[in-house]
Amino acid sequence: ADDLPSHIGRYQVVRRLGEGATSDVFLARDPFQGTEVAIKRMRAWAPPPDAPGSDFSNRFFTAEAALAGRLHHPNVVAILDAVSEESAPFLVMEYVPGVTLKHFCRTDRLLPLDQVVELGFKCAMALGYVYRQGLIHRDVKPANILALTNAQGLVTDVKITDFGSVLNMTADSTQVHQVGSLAYMAPEQLDGQALDARADMYALGAVLYHLVAGRPPFDAPSQPALMNLIYNQEPTPLATLRSGVHPAVD
């Protein structure tokens, strides 16, 4: 709380929402619109754009910033603005109250099966829309899907967020390859091959598997062992891990 800024740009900071490897996320208020927004700001102590070694994280910011005002779907978090301040560039995004689907991946918090199917349908529609815009998300995972909850804590909707790893198939600029979260990555993504919509479809399937079973499709103590499983094994059938799973869901 001691280092909480009072303002970021024109936005009045309310509180810190979370932090990542290179950025912090804040809840803020837009004084002109009178609305709450989420601001994702690159760390102020991060090296400036022309410093050695900073190119990698800056490309992630640039990829997401290029989508400002471009994505309009009820199950995709809107990126409202991108401000390239030299010391700490930031994104202004739609604020979504609630938790991420990672919260419901624990065996003691699993969602009802019919709700998992419903959320999966909404995510599939969102990713289909994203792909029609010439984009592949490449980092679909529970932590990147926001769950809207009501006063009783029940999930009412979902929104896909964090497009820092996005592959823009229409961009001319060089883009970072072999990004994503290993447990949800398709074999062709691990290999760094050319991707299409099936990479995000695989990742969504892995997310839904985790939500149903309380564990990802594959788990191993090391990255090489996990990659070997993804390449060569079939996941354990869901019907053997949770009662009530219909063969069609499996």
Side-chain angles (χ1 to χ4, degrees):
D2 292 341
D3 63 348
L4 191 72
S6 61
H7 288 78
I8 298 176
R10 74 168 194 256
Y11 303 93
Q12 180 184 359
V13 175
V14 178
R15 59 185 169 91
R16 188 186 303 270
L17 293 174
E19 57 186 45
T22 60
S23 61
D24 296 292
V25 182
F26 302 91
L27 173 63
R29 186 167 182 81
D30 184 338
F32 298 145
Q33 302 291 337
T35 56
E36 291 183 326
V37 295
I39 294 183
K40 181 179 180 180
R41 185 180 71 169
M42 299 289 286
R43 293 253 166 73
W45 47 260
D50 56 351
S54 68
D55 182 58
F56 194 72
S57 59
N58 283 322
R59 285 194 191 180
F60 285 101
F61 173 81
T62 302
E64 205 164 13
L67 303 181
R70 180 173 165 184
L71 299 177
H72 306 282
H73 189 278
N75 299 111
V76 176
V77 170
I79 303 172
L80 305 173
D81 195 9
V83 180
S84 298
E85 288 190 355
E86 185 174 343
S87 60
F90 62 90
L91 297 170
V92 182
M93 301 176 292
E94 170 189 8
Y95 171 58
V96 181
V99 296
T100 73
L101 287 185
K102 186 177 180 181
H103 179 81
F104 302 102
C105 286
R106 281 178 32 170
T107 53
D108 59 341
R109 294 179 184 159
L110 297 182
L111 296 167
L113 290 171
D114 59 344
Q115 190 167 38
V116 173
V117 173
E118 179 189 352
L119 299 181
F121 175 81
K122 290 182 175 181
C123 289
M125 294 300 99
L127 291 171
Y129 166 81
V130 167
Y131 186 65
R132 290 192 297 277
Q133 311 312 305
L135 307 168
I136 303 171
H137 188 286
R138 293 198 298 179
D139 197 17
V140 177
K141 60 182 179 181
N144 284 342
I145 303 174
L146 297 172
L148 287 76
T149 55
N150 61 18
Q152 291 73 41
L154 300 175
V155 178
T156 58
D157 211 350
V158 285
K159 288 180 179 279
I160 294 174
T161 188
D162 199 340
F163 284 81
S165 299
V166 71
L167 179 66
N168 189 336
M169 295 178 288
T170 63
D172 295 328
S173 58
T174 303
Q175 299 177 75
V176 178
H177 290 278
Q178 286 183 291
V179 297
S181 300
L182 196 57
Y184 309 96
M185 286 172 68
E188 68 271 20
Q189 192 170 346
L190 293 173
D191 279 347
Q193 296 178 24
L195 302 180
D196 58 29
R198 289 172 291 183
D200 282 352
M201 290 166 63
Y202 177 102
L204 177 57
V207 168
L208 297 179
Y209 187 105
H210 201 160
L211 290 171
V212 170
R215 51 172 264 197
F218 303 106
D219 197 10
S222 67
Q223 287 195 1
L226 181 54
M227 292 172 69
N228 180 61
L229 292 177
I230 293 171
Y231 284 134
N232 300 306
Q233 298 294 319
E234 290 290 328
T236 303
L238 283 171
T240 67
L241 299 176
R242 182 170 175 180
S243 62
V245 175
H246 191 278
V249 175
D250 203 348

